[in-house]
Structures are given as structure tokens and as C-alpha cells.
Amino acid sequence: MSTPQGDMPSRAQTAPLGSGRYRFMVFLVLVALTALVGRIVDLHVIDRLFLQGQGDARTLRVETIDAHRGMITGRHGDPLAISTPVVSLWANPQELPEDGVQRMLLAKALDMSPEKLDERIERYADREFMYLRRRMTPDDAQPVLALKVPGVYEQHEYKRYYPSGEVAAQLVGVTNVDDRGQEGIELAYNGFLAGQPGKRRVIKDRKGRLVRDLHLIKEAKPGGNLTLAVDLRLQYMAYRELKAVVDEHDADGGTLVMMDARSGEVLAMTNLPSYNPNNRAEIDTNGLRNQAVTDTFEPGSVMKPLAMSAALETAQFTPQRVIDTAPGYMRLDNYTIRDFRNYEELSLAGILLHSSNVGMSRVALQLPEDAIWNRYHDLGLGQAPGTGFPGEATGSLPTPFGWSDSKRASMSYGYGIAVSAMQLASAYTAIANDGKRLPPALLKQPDPPEGQQVMSPQVANDLLQMLEAIVQPGAGGSRAAVPGYRVAGKTGTVRKVTRSGYQQSAYRSLFAGIAPVSDPRIVTVVMVDNPKKGDYYGGLVAAPVFSRVVGKALRLLDVLPDKQEAME
Ligand code: 59J
């Protein structure tokens, strides 16, 4: 008897289809496949966010190394802006020792209680970066690093500091938190001062925290140092004197510019209001502008000597030429030009001495239409002075062609035009320098420029004498006199102008002068804006500042006295 099973013994050995073992194998394969598919689904869908995060979490990056910003100094090397290296200490909590003694020493060196340090480390326990202390002096950081505690690292940064504070604030300017120049010389020469940052390869985590410093790619190239023309001794002194007069007369502000009469270098340039550049949080934006360079005003009578130079250039006019200024006023077009009083007959020297608007106008109207405009233009007015200073004002010098007599006349005594204090000082260098005008220079000049001959040496020297008369006892500018030195200069009292016209009781008080007369070394312009308490005349407010500042400056500069004082 045979059975179907008995016919196929071999089949039983190879596990027939439908047998228990076969089904078990298929089951295993299916389980494996399901697991694989499940894992794929898991990886692609469910865990994707987590894994992507982990991938991003540690990335290779190129980080910049801050370059040392160049120093700004005065002409004798005194620091005006310096970048001091600071050290920020950080730690990788994963590498910090658990050891209590080491931690205690670390806390002590950081000037921190051990509890506070433990607390901080605890807070960052799952991170790989934490600051221990930021922006320390290298001297303070040294003892901490000397402990060589594993996991403690240093990071180098720079901090800008302005040793002269508010005294030279608007000239030097400021940088922002990123060490970029925002104002003044810091802005004008930012590229030069900044240098070039270096590069290094680092590993950072997703939040930008440094995990590992790998290697240097490029060393940082430090910025250049800049030497300004300013003499810090004169700058401090000028600031102090200007501040005293602004306080005394409760003025809105003031400006002082002192130029070297031989080189055009700006030896002092100070403005009020000012600000402390070391306290970025509390910068008063009113004090930010370097008004001596960026702000213009109607100069009024301090322009008379410059207008007079155009007349003296002609054969028609000499210092002795007499002009009738009676009756002390004059009608032109629809305007009335007035003098302080009726001076009757005045020489050209007398017109400057008494500051006669009528006399100056009569002279101006006898000159060719464009003569005074040309002279002002040659003196640099209405043009950018070219110092490269940000916001440098060009001022305003409208062309005279086809102008009314009243406009030509008012231009001759300083109205209808606008100048900056620096432009005015530069124009006066022509009188000081045998007729050669020197452009203002904010940087120390290795080779002083020749200057441009804009008036004849004869006219410049005649003017110098006429201006010296103004500073004699009894004259309008007597308070500008400096003991021991011969001084020349011109006062100005200018009604301030608003939209509704000239104001009745708001003035600018001015003095522009040169010293010493026998061999001019400095040109100084003083402007006091709206003195509200006491006097307001240029001869009473600005002239005394000129006297104090110029007297001290000449002594600091070791200029030999050129005047024998009368013995008592
Ligand atoms: C002045 C002006 C305004 C503008 C006048 C000052 C004019 C004028 C229109 C009256 C004070 C005042 C274009 S005077 O600087 O002449 O410095 O010691 O503001 O004349 O025409 O109550 N300066 N100042 N003028 N305007 N317009 C004199 C003079 C000057 C002095 C004194 C007194 C003005 C001697 C001025 C000084 O030389």
C-alpha cells in the first residue's frame, strides 16, 4: 500500500510548500522588511527634524578675527582715540573639572564666589560654551589663564577709548559697537584706521556658540595710526576758555578754530555743546556735529577786512583814502544801511576801526561788480575746504551778476553769505601769510603747502596794520589784546536770522585775529552763539576769549614776545 506522502520522500526533506518551516522563514523575512520600512519611515518622517538639528548643530565655520584699530593722536603723539585689547574668558562646561579645589581657585581668580560659579556652570551644564567674564583687561585675565584649568578659553577683542573725552569729541568722532567710525575723523578715515580682519576655522554649534577653535587661515592686519594736526595742550586750553565764556553769558554754544598761520594746520578746534564719546549710551546728539566744519553762519563785520582787500588791490584805494559816511546811514534800493553812530569822514583804516557799514558799502559800490565776490571766492568761501571731514560745509556765496546795489553792499560787510568758522580762519591766513591763503589741514602736514597767492603781499601787510589798530586801547577790539604780543583782528556782532527775519535780541559774537603781528604764527576765530546774559558785542564777548586763548597759545608755542609793554 502506498500513500502520496510515501511517494515523495525528498519533498519532505526540502520543506514542502505550505509546511510549518517554510511559513516561518517567510514570516522572518517579512518581519525584517517591515522593520526596515518602519525604520525608513521613522528616519525620514518622524526623526527627520531631530537628525537635521544634530547635523546643523555642529558646523565648520570661518570666523573673523578683529583687527586692531589704529590710534588717533595729536601732533605731539598724545592719544585721542586708542583701541585697548580686552580679553573675554569663556568655558566649555563639558571640559571643566568637577574638582572642587580647581573650581574654587577659578572662582577666586575671576573675583566671583565659588557658589556663583557653580551655579553658572550648572545653568550651562548641557552646553559647550559659556562666558566666564567679558571684556577684561589682559592683566586681569592673566591670573585666570595661568591656572590652566581645562575647558577655560580666551577670546580677544578691542575696546575704543577716547582719553580727551568731550574736549576733542567732535573732531575725533566716535565708532559704534562694531568698531566702525560713525562721526568725525573716525568716520572720514575709517578704512585706514580699521585695518583688515583675519580669518580662522572654527566649529560652532547651531546657536553660534564656539565649540572648537581649529586653525588660523589669515592673520588680522592692524589698522594704521593717524596723527592729527591738533596740539592737545592748545585744544584743552581752548575748550576750557570757550566753555567758560559760554557759561558766563549763558550762550547756546560756541566754536573756536586756531590755525597755524604758516602751514594751515588746525591746532585747535573746539565746539560747544559737546559730548562724552566714552559714554555711548548717553550721547547728546546736539553735541555730535563739529560745528566749526559743518555749520555755517552769516559772518557779518569780520568779512570787512577781506572785502577791503579787494579795494586795496586797486590803484583807486589806499588805507588813507577818505570816505564820507555821514549821516551814519544810507538808503539803497528799499533797505537802510546803518552805522552804530555817524562817523562822518573815515579813512579805509577808519572804516575797519569803527566797523562802518556805510563806509564799507560806499567802497564796495565803487568796485567792479564782481570784485568782492571774486575775492571771497579766492579766499575759499562757498567751496568745500577739502579736509575730507564728513559733512564739511561749503557755505554759501551767491554770484553777484545782475545784483542790486543793496546786495553787493551787504555782501561787503558780511551779510547774504554763509561761512563756517574753519573757512573764515582759512581766509584770514591770507592776511597773516603775505597774501597766500592756506587751506585748512586736520592732519599733521609733513610738508606745509605753499598756499595760494590771493592778495598782494602789500595789501596783506597794510591790512594787518589796519587790524592791529582795532586792538589798541580805546578801540572796539581792545579786549583782544595780548600782553607782550602784537595782535591784529576784527570784531563782529551779528543779528541772528530766523525765518521771520533778523532777530531783535539774538546775536552771534565774533572775533577773528592774527598774532603776533611781526611774524604771524596763529590765526584764531572765536564765535559765541547767542550770549543771553550780560554783554553780546563781539568786542566784549568774543575778543576776551581770543586774548586769553591766543596769549596762552603763544607762550605754549614758545613764540617770542614782539611787543615792549609800557612800564608802569
Ligand atoms: C548789529 C547786523 C543785520 C543784517 C546791528 C549788531 C546789519 C544789516 C541786513 C545792530 C547789533 C545791533 C543785511 S555794532 O559787527 O552792525 O562787534 O563790537 O546784525 O547791520 O544791515 O544791535 N559791532 N555790528 N548788524 N545787521 N543786516 C558793530 C557791527 C559789527 C560791534 C559794536 C556795535 C552790526 C561796535 C550788526 C562790535 O561790526
Side-chain angles (χ1 to χ4, degrees):
M1 182 176 137
S2 73
T3 60
Q5 283 90 358
D7 287 334
M8 303 178 281
S10 58
R11 258 200 193 164
Q13 277 159 0
T14 56
L17 245 149
S19 79
R21 262 194 296 165
Y22 183 79
R23 268 186 272 167
F24 181 63
M25 286 308 291
V26 169
F27 174 72
L28 274 185
V29 168
L30 277 177
V31 165
L33 266 174
T34 314
L36 257 168
V37 169
R39 183 66 185 140
I40 286 166
V41 169
D42 193 38
L43 282 172
H44 272 82
V45 183
I46 300 159
D47 271 348
R48 199 171 113 200
L49 282 174
F50 170 78
L51 289 170
Q52 230 171 32
Q54 285 292 306
D56 286 348
R58 285 175 186 74
T59 45
L60 214 51
R61 294 199 199 162
V62 173
E63 205 186 49
T64 56
I65 308 167
D66 291 344
H68 180 259
R69 190 174 175 88
M71 178 161 64
I72 303 175
T73 67
R75 66 183 301 110
H76 299 303
D78 330 62
L80 285 165
I82 43 178
S83 281
T84 49
V86 287
V87 176
S88 290
L89 295 176
W90 62 275
N92 180 348
Q94 309 310 314
E95 297 172 18
L96 282 175
E98 295 291 338
D99 178 62
V101 179
Q102 285 217 65
R103 284 221 187 166
M104 205 181 71
L105 287 171
L106 181 61
K108 197 156 173 274
L110 285 165
D111 198 19
M112 203 186 270
S113 72
E115 295 76 31
K116 182 129 187 270
L117 181 63
D118 281 341
E119 196 186 294
R120 274 178 65 84
I121 296 172
E122 190 53 42
R123 210 178 329 140
Y124 291 92
D126 59 345
R127 311 264 178 89
E128 290 174 325
F129 180 93
M130 63 177 273
Y131 277 118
L132 291 170
R133 178 144 288 178
R134 294 205 68 180
R135 293 177 169 259
M136 305 169 78
T137 67
D139 277 357
D140 288 346
Q142 221 292 311
V144 185
L145 291 163
L147 292 173
K148 295 203 188 308
V149 175
V152 174
Y153 301 95
E154 61 189 312
Q155 179 179 310
H156 291 264
E157 293 169 311
Y158 293 102
K159 186 174 182 280
R160 200 70 164 159
Y161 177 64
Y162 302 97
S164 59
E166 60 182 14
V167 171
Q170 303 105 339
L171 173 62
V172 176
V174 274
T175 55
N176 62 10
V177 274
D178 299 322
D179 224 18
R180 279 205 197 99
Q182 296 298 289
E183 298 279 345
I185 295 289
E186 289 273 42
L187 173 58
Y189 293 93
N190 186 58
F192 175 77
L193 290 164
Q196 269 152 26
K199 282 189 188 130
R200 65 177 175 203
R201 202 174 294 285
V202 295
I203 299 177
K204 281 193 164 185
D205 69 11
R206 190 155 45 97
K207 286 194 175 154
R209 290 175 300 229
L210 190 65
V211 173
R212 193 162 297 158
D213 202 343
L214 290 181
H215 65 96
L216 185 74
I217 301 169
K218 193 180 113 199
E219 198 112 40
K221 191 169 165 278
N225 295 331
L226 213 52
T227 306
L228 302 191
V230 70
D231 184 325
L232 259 282
R233 300 167 304 167
L234 307 185
Q235 179 76 11
Y236 269 90
M237 182 267 294
Y239 180 80
R240 204 167 50 237
E241 295 295 346
L242 188 67
K243 187 155 172 40
V245 76
V246 164
D247 289 347
E248 181 191 342
H249 291 279
D250 191 21
D252 289 353
T255 289
L256 187 148
V257 177
M258 184 186 290
M259 274 173 74
D260 185 313
R262 296 163 168 182
S263 67
E265 292 172 298
V266 173
L267 301 176
M269 176 176 269
T270 179
N271 306 279
L272 284 162
S274 189
Y275 67 97
N276 179 1
N278 294 310
N279 191 354
R280 230 182 251 120
E282 278 169 41
I283 284 179
D284 172 6
T285 50
N286 283 324
L288 274 181
R289 275 173 298 117
N290 185 0
Q291 296 180 53
V293 180
T294 63
D295 288 21
T296 63
F297 52 86
E298 255 188 323
S301 295
V302 292
M303 291 307 292
K304 282 175 188 157
L306 304 171
M308 198 61 94
S309 77
L312 291 168
E313 220 68 73
T314 67
Q316 200 182 344
F317 290 102
T318 61
Q320 292 75 36
R321 167 82 188 271
V322 171
I323 305 287
D324 189 2
T325 68
Y329 58 87
M330 167 184 174
R331 259 192 99 67
L332 276 181
D333 307 324
N334 279 326
Y335 298 91
T336 305
I337 292 167
R338 281 175 209 289
D339 280 345
F340 191 60
R341 65 176 173 85
N342 180 3
Y343 297 107
E344 314 269 358
E345 290 201 328
L346 289 175
S347 66
L348 297 200
I351 288 172
L352 293 186
L353 179 63
H354 295 289
S355 203
S356 167
N357 297 335
V358 173
M360 192 66 242
S361 300
R362 291 232 156 101
V363 171
L365 293 176
Q366 289 181 55
L367 296 175
E369 202 175 47
D370 59 353
I372 289 173
W373 187 94
N374 282 337
R375 179 49 51 100
Y376 287 177
H377 179 81
D378 287 346
L379 289 165
L381 307 186
Q383 298 147 72
T387 58
F389 198 88
E392 188 185 66
T394 54
S396 151
L397 183 66
T399 45
F401 302 104
W403 270 12
S404 59
D405 284 355
S406 63
K407 283 205 170 155
R408 279 171 60 210
S410 58
M411 181 185 245
S412 76
Y413 62 99
Y415 293 90
I417 65 171
V419 305
S420 68
M422 184 173 74
Q423 286 180 316
L424 191 55
S426 170
Y428 265 69
T429 61
I431 303 175
N433 201 32
D434 293 319
K436 288 196 282 282
R437 180 181 82 92
L438 293 158
L442 296 177
L443 301 189
K444 188 176 179 178
Q445 300 297 297
D447 311 296
E450 247 300 287
Q452 197 195 342
Q453 194 80 45
V454 292
M455 47 177 99
S456 70
Q458 178 66 45
V459 167
N461 292 316
D462 283 350
L463 271 173
L464 206 52
Q465 281 185 29
M466 290 157 87
L467 295 185
E468 192 178 9
I470 296 174
V471 186
Q472 298 312 303
S478 63
R479 284 176 170 80
V482 176
Y485 296 94
R486 293 171 59 195
V487 166
K490 180 74 191 81
T491 60
T493 309
V494 182
R495 281 208 159 104
K496 282 187 76 169
V497 66
T498 58
R499 241 169 288 167
S500 51
Y502 288 96
Q503 289 181 273
Q504 275 309 312
S505 54
Y507 306 88
R508 269 180 227 281
S509 210
L510 285 147
F511 194 88
I514 297 158
V517 167
S518 53
D519 184 14
R521 290 288 301 278
I522 52 179
V523 168
T524 306
V525 168
V526 180
M527 189 276 282
V528 180
D529 182 11
N530 194 14
K532 293 188 281 291
K533 206 164 81 192
D535 301 309
Y536 59 86
Y537 287 131
L540 298 177
V541 176
V545 180
F546 178 94
S547 167
R548 287 192 286 272
V549 170
V550 170
K552 286 173 184 162
L554 292 173
R555 285 189 291 273
L556 283 168
L557 293 172
D558 285 327
V559 177
L560 284 178
D562 63 343
K563 184 168 149 194
Q564 204 72 51
E565 291 298 317
M567 291 286 170
E568 311 260 314

